[in-house]
């Protein structure tokens, strides 16, 4: 097992830190003390998920190339996992030879009794830099330090041509002196040269592989903890991680002003609550205010008890768009919404108070109206000389003259008495208050809480705003970069190809939401289209020719659900068949 110092000196520092966080969570939630020294290296469930390629989020083994290697090798030990780690390096060779010998030990290459023990652990294949150094040191009777100098030369033979030629001459001479045949030393030289440019450092490979194994162990044995920490550190891949977590029964709860903290947290026995770190536009000061004042009994309670950092337009809009107010009502009066419209809204009652619960699109409009009300400039009042007012208006508006002369009229009421601001000899505002009927209708909702005003003045408009599952998914995807809702085509994933898993020239099927359409022109000025389809796992660029587009114009529209079949190639998918899908949900 690695020492603490080695662990923290290696490249996996970020993953070590993440693992420590997982250990702390396991102890806090399950009361189990896990550390780097007591994780068993023979856990069968861990080796199973590695061998099956279920390694998304596993250090060093998440890439498509890594998955293809581990599913071939099916490692059952750190030594074999380390070999797999080496084979995923660019330009590495010897995998097929390694696999053949691993399956059938009789196929292990035998070179010479001096050399065979060096390659025994990798079934006769050269995998590591240290093996090259060992072969050179063994044949030439030199120490590892000197052998490493030769190995470095051999990594860049063109740059070190003279040194490589001298090494080759010395190696062959010494080998022959030790009794090796000319054929054998030539073969060993060629073997070293063929593998020198791609060998991986074994100390690093073993260290990385141990961290990878630890990560996989946590993933299969404590998945709730694993996905919580992984989501916090990989928001750019949140869609894929959330989809994988849902497959094993973990519920991903969206951010909420009453329950979320800064980061993703475990909530209940099978749920993860998204943190505000997943909501673009909500900064740490806003989060501090929200968390300090949790929980909130209503939307207006949120506005009344938070400081300004949590109330600015950007923060509130981001929270609405992410669903952080879902289920939280706005307090209403008995007559704020007419009886005939009440069946178009959802209501809840708490402690003799009534609240209306709006969907996200309604909330967005409500907040827009609320912002308008809060930023609306106050109506100014002005002194109007008696001689400018026609006689009929005195009794009509119950005008009462000021002691020092003139009548106080609100700016927005000047037109009611046939005047404009420019008609007044003194156009500056006055602090005096209107009298008569103007004082009564200056603001009929003056004493009504501001949160209720949009509902009173725009209840009909708000009642007509609907929101579907697909709209919510697109809404979240647009504002967050991913959605806490399952992709509308998730349940059909078994019939959908992942783009990176298909070779160029092969037929594949993708399905999802059209998120963008770009018109292009051929050299002959004929139109064709790039249609970008967001599937549950990736975004595929589909090429559609002009005649195809015309035939399926009713289907090829932004935000439509489609299934596309075609041939992969040239960075996208050439469409052969397309059809629309009706979402059920």
């Amino acid at each position: 097992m690695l020492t603490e110092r080695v662990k923290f000196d290696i490249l996996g520092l970020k993953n070590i830190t993440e693992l420590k966080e997982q250990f702390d969570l396991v102890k806090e939630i399950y009361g189990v003390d896990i550390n780097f020294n007591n994780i068993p290296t023979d856990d069968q469930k861990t080796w199973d998920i590695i061998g099956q390629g279920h390694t998304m989020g596993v250090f060093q083994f998440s890439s498509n190339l890594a998955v293809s290697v581990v599913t071939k090798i099916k490692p059952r030990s750190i030594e074999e996992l380390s070999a797999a780690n080496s084979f995923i390096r660019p330009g590495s060779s010897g995998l097929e030879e390694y696999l053949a010998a691993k399956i059938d030990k009789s196929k292990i290459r035998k070179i010479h009794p001096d050399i065979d023990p060096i390659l025994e652990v990798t079934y006769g294949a050269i995998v590591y830099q240290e093996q090259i150094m060992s072969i050179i040191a063994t044949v030439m009777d030199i120490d590892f330090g000197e052998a490493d100098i030769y190995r470095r030369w051999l990594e860049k033979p063109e740059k070190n041509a003279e040194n490589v030629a001298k090494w080759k001459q010395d190696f062959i001479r010494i080998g022959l002196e030790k009794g090796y045949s000319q054929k054998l030393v030539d073969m060993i030289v060629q073997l070293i040269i063929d593998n020198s440019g791609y060998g991986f450092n074994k100390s690093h490979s073993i260290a990385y592989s141990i961290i990878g194994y630890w990560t996989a162990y946590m993933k299969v044995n404590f998945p709730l903890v694993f996905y919580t920490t992984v989501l916090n550190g990989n928001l750019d891949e949140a869609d894929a991680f959330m989809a994988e977590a849902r497959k094993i029964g973990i519920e991903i709860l969206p951010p909420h002003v009453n329950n979320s903290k800064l980061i993703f947290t475990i909530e209940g026995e099978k749920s993860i609550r998204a943190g505000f770190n997943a909501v673009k536009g909500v900064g740490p000061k806003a989060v501090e205010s929200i968390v300090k004042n949790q929980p909130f009994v209503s939307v207006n309670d949120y506005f009344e008890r938070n400081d300004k950092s949590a109330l600015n337009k950007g923060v509130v809009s981001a929270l609405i768009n992410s669903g952080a107010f879902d289920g939280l009502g706005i307090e209403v009066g008995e007559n704020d919404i007419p009886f005939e419209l009440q069946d178009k809204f959802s209501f809840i009652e708490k402690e003799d108070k009534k609240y209306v619960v709006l969907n996200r699109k309604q909330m967005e409009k409500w907040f827009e109206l609320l912002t308008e009300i809060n930023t609306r400039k106050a109506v100014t009042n002005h002194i109007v000389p008696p001689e400018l007012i026609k006689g009929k208006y005195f009794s009509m508006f119950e005008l009462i003259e000021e002691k020092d002369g003139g009548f106080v009229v609100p700016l927005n009421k000047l037109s009611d008495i046939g005047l404009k601001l420019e008609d007044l000899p003194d156009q500056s505002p006055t602090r005096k208050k209107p009298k008569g009927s103007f004082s009564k209708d200056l603001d009929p909702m003056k004493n009504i809480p501001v949160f209720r005003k949009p509902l009173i003045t725009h209840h009909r408009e708000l009642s007509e705003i609907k929101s579907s599952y697909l709209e919510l998914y697109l809404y979240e995807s647009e504002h967050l970069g991913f959605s806490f809702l399952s992709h509308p085509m998730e349940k059909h994933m078994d019939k959908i190809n992942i783009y990176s898993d298909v070779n160029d020239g092969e037929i594949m099927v993708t399905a999802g939401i059209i998120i963008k359409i770009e018109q292009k022109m051929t050299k002959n000025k004929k139109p064709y289209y790039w249609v970008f389809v967001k599937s549950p796992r990736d975004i595929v660029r589909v090429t559609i020719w002009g005649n195809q587009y015309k035939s399926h114009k009713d289907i090829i529209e932004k935000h439509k659900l489609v299934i596309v079949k075609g041939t992969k190639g040239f960075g996208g998918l050439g469409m052969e068949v397309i059809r629309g899908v009706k979402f059920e949900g």
Side-chain angles (χ1 to χ4, degrees):
M1 196 62 69
L2 295 176
T3 65
E4 287 294 315
R5 176 166 180 77
V6 172
K7 286 175 203 167
F8 282 91
D9 281 350
I10 59 180
L11 184 64
L13 181 60
K14 172 182 178 291
N15 295 78
I16 287 290
T17 303
E18 197 172 88
L19 279 163
K20 280 184 172 290
E21 291 173 5
Q22 291 179 21
F23 299 163
D24 291 342
L25 268 176
V26 168
K27 189 168 185 178
E28 178 186 333
I29 295 168
Y30 304 110
V32 178
D33 187 10
I34 293 184
N35 57 64
F36 296 115
N37 297 313
N38 68 4
I39 294 177
T41 56
D42 59 352
D43 184 70
Q44 297 310 305
K45 290 190 297 182
T46 303
W47 290 120
D48 286 346
I49 69 161
I50 292 173
Q52 292 160 5
H54 299 158
T55 50
M56 185 168 65
V58 173
F59 180 62
Q60 292 285 300
F61 298 99
S62 292
S63 69
N64 293 324
L65 176 58
V67 169
S68 71
V69 171
V70 293
T71 51
K72 289 175 181 175
I73 291 179
K74 299 192 183 305
R76 305 302 290 189
S77 68
I78 295 297
E79 194 70 58
E80 290 182 352
L81 186 61
S82 177
N85 198 6
S86 182
F87 284 126
I88 64 177
R89 305 293 143 183
S92 62
S93 60
L95 176 60
E96 297 308 318
E97 179 185 9
Y98 178 95
L99 287 171
K102 180 178 183 290
I103 295 168
D104 182 356
K105 303 298 187 294
S106 67
K107 293 184 178 178
I108 295 177
R109 175 174 50 192
K110 299 297 182 181
I111 299 174
H112 187 275
D114 292 345
I115 308 298
D116 296 340
I118 298 171
L119 304 181
E120 183 179 11
V121 72
T122 51
Y123 303 106
I126 293 181
V127 175
Y128 303 115
Q129 294 173 353
E130 287 89 340
Q131 289 176 311
I132 292 173
M133 292 158 61
S134 289
I135 294 171
I136 293 174
T138 299
V139 173
M140 299 183 73
D141 289 323
I142 58 177
D143 61 32
F144 249 48
E146 191 175 351
D148 190 36
I149 294 173
Y150 291 137
R151 182 193 62 79
R152 290 169 189 249
W153 289 347
L154 288 161
E155 279 187 346
K156 298 177 180 179
E158 298 85 5
K159 184 178 178 181
N160 301 291
E162 287 187 22
N163 289 325
V164 169
K166 178 69 168 56
W167 164 81
K168 187 176 178 180
Q169 184 180 19
D170 289 344
F171 187 92
I172 293 171
R173 176 180 56 77
I174 295 170
L176 292 173
E177 288 174 357
K178 292 181 72 173
Y180 294 178
S181 69
Q182 184 70 51
K183 182 179 179 182
L184 177 60
V185 290
D186 287 345
M187 186 266 284
I188 296 173
V189 165
Q190 194 57 48
L191 196 63
I192 290 172
I193 290 173
D194 289 345
N195 288 277
S196 289
Y198 309 113
F200 189 39
N201 183 302
K202 185 176 183 179
S203 61
H204 284 178
S205 185
I206 289 285
Y208 294 170
S209 298
I210 289 175
I211 298 174
Y213 174 85
W214 285 338
T215 312
Y217 177 87
M218 296 303 295
K219 179 174 184 175
V220 73
N221 287 283
F222 300 97
L224 202 61
V225 169
F226 171 82
Y227 285 107
T228 300
T229 55
V230 166
L231 282 166
N232 279 320
N234 299 274
L235 284 174
D236 54 335
E237 298 177 81
D239 253 348
F241 281 116
M242 289 191 293
E244 188 176 74
R246 290 187 187 105
K247 282 183 181 179
I248 59 170
I250 295 175
E251 185 179 7
I252 308 295
L253 303 171
H256 200 279
V257 293
N258 274 351
N259 308 99
S260 291
K261 308 306 176 187
L262 174 61
I263 61 176
F264 283 73
T265 53
I266 292 172
E267 187 173 308
E269 294 184 359
K270 291 291 277 184
S271 301
I272 297 172
R273 173 68 69 178
F276 292 117
N277 60 335
V279 185
K280 294 176 183 176
V282 181
K285 286 188 177 181
V287 174
E288 183 180 351
S289 176
I290 294 168
V291 172
K292 180 179 67 177
N293 290 297
Q294 288 173 337
F296 306 98
V297 297
S298 63
V299 174
N300 37 296
D301 183 35
Y302 172 91
F303 277 84
E304 288 163 354
R305 292 199 291 118
N306 271 308
D307 61 36
K308 289 181 180 179
S309 63
L311 302 179
N312 72 59
K313 187 176 181 181
V315 169
V316 176
S317 292
L319 292 172
I320 291 172
N321 292 328
S322 67
F325 288 106
D326 284 4
L328 205 59
I330 302 167
E331 188 177 345
V332 290
E334 194 63 39
N335 301 312
D336 288 356
I337 299 174
F339 178 77
E340 67 271 16
L341 293 178
Q342 290 196 7
D343 63 345
K344 294 179 181 282
F345 293 93
S346 296
F347 295 91
I348 53 176
E349 292 188 14
K350 300 179 194 173
E351 300 178 356
D352 300 326
K353 290 184 179 180
K354 190 175 184 180
Y355 303 86
V356 63
V357 179
L358 304 179
N359 65 44
R360 292 186 213 177
K361 292 177 73 176
Q362 288 173 324
M363 272 283 290
E364 190 175 41
K365 184 62 180 177
W366 170 85
F367 182 58
E368 178 187 319
L369 295 167
L370 181 69
T371 303
E372 286 179 9
I373 291 169
N374 286 334
T375 56
R376 193 178 295 157
K377 290 183 179 180
V379 176
T380 55
N381 297 313
H382 297 268
I383 298 292
V384 179
E387 61 270 18
L388 294 182
I389 304 174
K390 293 180 180 179
K392 63 179 180 179
Y393 295 126
F394 286 94
S395 57
M396 183 184 298
F397 295 107
E398 302 173 6
L399 298 180
I400 299 174
E401 190 170 2
E402 298 294 312
K403 289 181 180 179
D404 52 356
F407 299 85
V408 179
V409 180
L411 178 63
N412 62 340
K413 295 296 180 181
L414 285 175
S415 59
D416 291 355
I417 59 174
L419 296 173
K420 297 177 182 177
L421 182 61
E422 51 265 35
D423 296 330
L424 306 183
D426 182 1
Q427 297 173 15
S428 58
T430 179
R431 292 186 179 182
K432 294 180 178 180
K433 303 296 181 186
K435 297 175 181 177
S437 61
F438 287 145
S439 67
K440 298 174 186 177
D441 62 0
L442 190 59
D443 185 358
M445 293 194 292
K446 183 177 181 181
N447 297 318
I448 293 175
V450 68
F451 311 103
R452 289 168 50 192
K453 291 181 181 180
L455 295 162
I456 295 170
T457 56
H458 291 78
H459 43 246
R460 189 167 299 279
E461 179 183 357
L462 290 168
S463 74
E464 294 171 355
I465 299 175
K466 306 300 178 188
S467 184
S468 69
Y469 185 96
L470 182 57
E471 286 175 323
L472 285 180
Y473 180 85
L474 292 167
Y475 217 55
E476 289 188 356
S477 298
E478 179 182 346
H479 291 280
L480 303 176
F482 55 87
S483 176
F484 292 104
L485 301 171
S486 294
H487 189 286
M489 299 298 289
E490 180 67 43
K491 62 183 179 181
H492 301 294
M493 196 58 220
D494 59 330
K495 302 181 184 71
I496 300 171
N497 297 121
I498 297 174
Y499 183 82
S500 58
D501 289 349
V502 180
N503 296 319
D504 281 356
E506 292 182 349
I507 296 292
M508 67 167 285
V509 173
T510 191
I513 307 162
I514 295 177
I515 58 171
K516 186 168 66 170
I517 301 172
E518 294 181 3
Q519 182 176 340
K520 302 287 182 178
M521 299 294 287
T522 66
K523 291 180 180 179
N524 297 325
K525 303 299 181 184
K526 291 184 178 180
Y528 68 97
Y529 299 83
W530 279 354
V531 176
F532 295 83
V533 178
K534 178 179 171 60
S535 82
R537 297 292 180 276
D538 50 25
I539 296 175
V540 180
R541 191 193 76 200
V542 180
T543 300
I544 300 178
W545 300 106
N547 59 330
Q548 294 174 316
Y549 182 81
K550 287 180 182 178
S551 300
H552 302 285
K553 200 171 182 180
D554 58 327
I555 296 173
I556 307 170
E557 294 179 7
K558 191 175 180 181
H559 295 166
K560 283 284 186 78
L561 279 174
V562 293
I563 294 176
V564 185
K565 181 180 179 182
T567 303
K568 178 181 175 179
F570 304 102
L573 176 65
M575 188 200 91
E576 294 173 17
V577 179
I578 186 170
R579 63 182 179 87
V581 179
K582 185 177 180 181
F583 175 63
E584 298 175 0

